[in-house]
């Protein structure tokens, strides 16, 4: 049986354990490992989004037309304004987190608590804003119809601007549509949401309003959606099979179905990270108030929480750039 010989030279090349590999504490290094692995996950999501958008470039929804709402300004076209405000709030919360970390290095408990509180408030505002964006995205503003081939047909007025179904559709009094709930649906399964107007009512309104035309989901060389003539609009409307209002994982009034899938998945996954970060910051905030880190004479936990929060903010910058701006 051979014996293993350990020389002084061998010992110099082997890390003997310890709590500060590469001069960084174990906790900080594990946070960096997590950030690296999670960065690859988000990179994969954004790469998949990029490939899908390139493949369906001619039918991809225009972000300025989808995200054009602003709270308390109903009917006002504000393309990307609220998304930009959300981004500013999240970036500002990253600034307050930097100030909290700096105050921790100086062992200033009150300042750490104050800046952590501002960071938490910023996170809650961002989450609330994202929930509001989701609500508007799911509900929709105009409505559209979907053809047998899966294409989306929107409606425009005489000036070429998109109009809602309520602006021209005719309500039929002799036909009542009922939303199936769990207690009334077959096998206690709720049915799909009943749209405000049936397909027959939309077609009747189209026939009664000669100024209404159809805008397809496809774009021309100028990056504007193609508006059909009155005759071509009538021909395309014959292929319609259902009314679509808002968006879900199967249908969306904005254009290609994959767009809504990526919106829910990417922004939802990031929102989950922000929510987790807010919870972590709340725990750290109360530990600061209780003097836990003051007794340790170290606010490293604030710094580790800051690393995660900066990562979440940086990821949103990429999501905002690639999903909303490009």
């Amino acid at each position: 049986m051979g014996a293993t010989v350990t020389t002084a030279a061998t010992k110099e090349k082997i890390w003997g354990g310890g709590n500060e590999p590469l001069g960084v504490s174990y906790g900080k290094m594990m946070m960096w490992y997590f950030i690296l692995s999670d960065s690859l996950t988000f990179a994969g999501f954004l790469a998949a989004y990029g490939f899908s958008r390139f493949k369906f470039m001619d039918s991809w929804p225009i972000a300025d037309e989808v995200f054009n709402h602003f709270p308390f300004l109903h009917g006002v076209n504000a393309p990307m304004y609220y998304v930009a405000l959300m981004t500013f709030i999240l970036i500002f919360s990253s600034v307050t987190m930097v100030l909290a970390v700096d105050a921790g290095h100086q062992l200033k408990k009150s300042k750490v608590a104050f800046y952590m509180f501002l960071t938490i408030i910023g996170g809650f505002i961002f989450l609330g804003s994202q929930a509001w964006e989701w609500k508007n995205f799911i509900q929709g503003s105009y409505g559209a119809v979907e053809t047998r081939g899966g294409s989306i047909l929107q409606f425009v007025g005489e000036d070429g601007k998109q109009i809602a179904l309520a602006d021209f559709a005719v309500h039929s009094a002799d036909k009542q549509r009922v939303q199936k709930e769990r207690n009334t649906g077959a096998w206690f399964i709720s049915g799909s949401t009943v749209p405000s107007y049936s397909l027959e009512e939309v077609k009747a309104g189209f026939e009664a309003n000669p100024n209404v035309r159809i805008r397809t989901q496809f774009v021309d060389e100028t990056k504007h959606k193609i508006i059909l003539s009155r005759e071509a609009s009538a021909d395309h409307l014959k292929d319609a099979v259902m009314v679509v209002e808002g968006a879900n994982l199967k249908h969306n009034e904005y254009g290609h179905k994959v767009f809504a899938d990526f919106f829910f998945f990417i922004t939802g996954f990031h929102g989950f990270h922000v929510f987790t970060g807010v919870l972590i910051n709340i725990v750290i905030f109360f530990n600061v108030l209780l003097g836990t880190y003051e007794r340790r004479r170290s606010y490293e936990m604030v710094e580790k929480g800051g690393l995660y929060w900066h990562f979440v903010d940086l990821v949103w910058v990429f999501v905002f750039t690639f999903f909303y701006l490009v």
Side-chain angles (χ1 to χ4, degrees):
M1 187 176 217
T4 303
V5 179
T6 304
T7 64
T10 306
K11 288 184 178 179
E12 290 179 359
K13 295 180 181 179
I14 297 177
W15 174 49
N19 196 35
E20 292 192 359
L22 303 179
V24 180
S25 69
Y26 180 79
K28 253 196 231 181
M29 175 164 279
M30 291 302 102
M31 179 59 75
W32 278 113
Y33 280 153
F34 169 77
I35 289 174
L36 178 61
S37 62
D38 217 25
S39 298
L40 296 176
T41 304
F42 274 106
F45 293 158
L46 292 176
Y49 170 80
F51 281 121
S52 298
R53 178 168 182 172
F54 180 78
K55 181 178 180 180
F56 304 110
M57 186 180 298
D58 60 340
S59 60
W60 205 253
I62 301 172
D64 284 350
E65 297 180 354
V66 177
F67 308 105
N68 60 348
H69 306 90
F70 203 92
F72 311 112
L73 297 178
H74 182 69
V76 176
N77 184 32
M80 309 301 293
Y81 289 5
Y82 196 57
V83 182
L85 178 61
M86 290 166 50
T87 304
F88 172 78
I89 292 172
L90 194 62
I91 292 176
F92 185 77
S93 72
S94 198
V95 174
T96 57
M97 178 58 84
V98 169
L99 296 174
V101 172
D102 181 66
H105 289 160
Q106 301 176 38
L107 300 179
K108 295 180 178 180
K109 174 184 172 182
S110 59
K111 283 192 174 182
V112 174
F114 175 71
Y115 290 126
M116 286 296 300
F117 178 76
L118 292 182
T119 303
I120 292 169
I121 294 299
F124 273 125
I125 293 176
F126 179 84
L127 288 173
S129 300
Q130 198 169 48
W132 187 83
E133 275 288 346
W134 270 48
K135 177 186 71 70
N136 286 283
F137 187 82
I138 292 172
Q139 290 181 347
S141 301
Y142 298 99
V145 295
E146 185 174 321
T147 66
R148 191 173 291 105
S151 298
I152 294 296
L153 303 178
Q154 300 170 341
F155 297 90
V156 297
E158 190 174 8
D159 56 358
K161 294 183 179 180
Q162 187 175 2
I163 58 176
L165 299 180
D167 294 334
F168 68 93
V170 178
H171 259 307
S172 178
D174 59 343
K175 189 176 291 186
Q176 186 176 8
R177 290 168 291 123
V178 178
Q179 171 68 47
K180 292 293 184 182
E181 304 293 344
R182 287 180 61 88
N183 60 336
T184 58
W187 300 102
F188 298 99
I189 298 176
S190 59
S192 58
T193 303
V194 176
S196 303
Y197 299 91
S198 67
L199 184 59
E200 291 73 19
E201 291 170 340
V202 173
K203 289 182 177 180
F206 177 82
E207 293 294 334
N209 292 272
N211 293 327
V212 176
R213 291 185 293 167
I214 281 178
R215 186 177 74 170
T216 70
Q217 69 180 38
F218 299 98
V219 297
D220 54 20
E221 296 81 6
T222 62
K223 304 300 181 181
H224 291 89
K225 292 186 178 181
I226 299 174
I227 299 177
L228 304 177
S229 64
R230 177 69 181 182
E231 294 75 15
S233 298
D235 290 338
H236 278 68
L237 194 57
K238 293 177 182 178
D239 294 330
V241 294
M242 64 180 298
V243 175
V244 180
E245 291 180 321
N248 53 47
L249 294 176
K250 293 183 179 179
H251 312 280
N252 80 85
E253 68 173 51
Y254 310 107
H256 203 282
K257 300 176 182 179
V258 180
F259 175 79
D261 297 340
F262 275 113
F263 174 80
F264 289 125
F265 196 74
I266 293 178
T267 62
F269 192 61
H270 177 267
F272 173 76
H273 278 70
V274 176
F275 177 73
T276 304
V278 170
L279 292 182
I280 293 173
N281 288 340
I282 290 175
V283 173
I284 295 174
F285 172 72
F286 280 107
N287 277 328
V288 171
L289 294 181
L290 294 173
T292 303
Y293 310 128
E294 188 74 16
R295 290 190 294 270
R296 295 178 186 174
R297 305 301 294 171
S298 173
Y299 283 83
E300 184 180 303
M301 187 59 71
V302 177
E303 191 171 352
K304 287 185 284 189
L307 287 174
Y308 178 80
W309 193 253
H310 297 323
F311 164 71
V312 168
D313 290 2
L314 182 61
V315 167
W316 177 254
V317 170
F318 282 98
V319 172
F320 176 69
T321 301
F322 289 102
F323 199 95
Y324 292 92
L325 294 184
V326 177

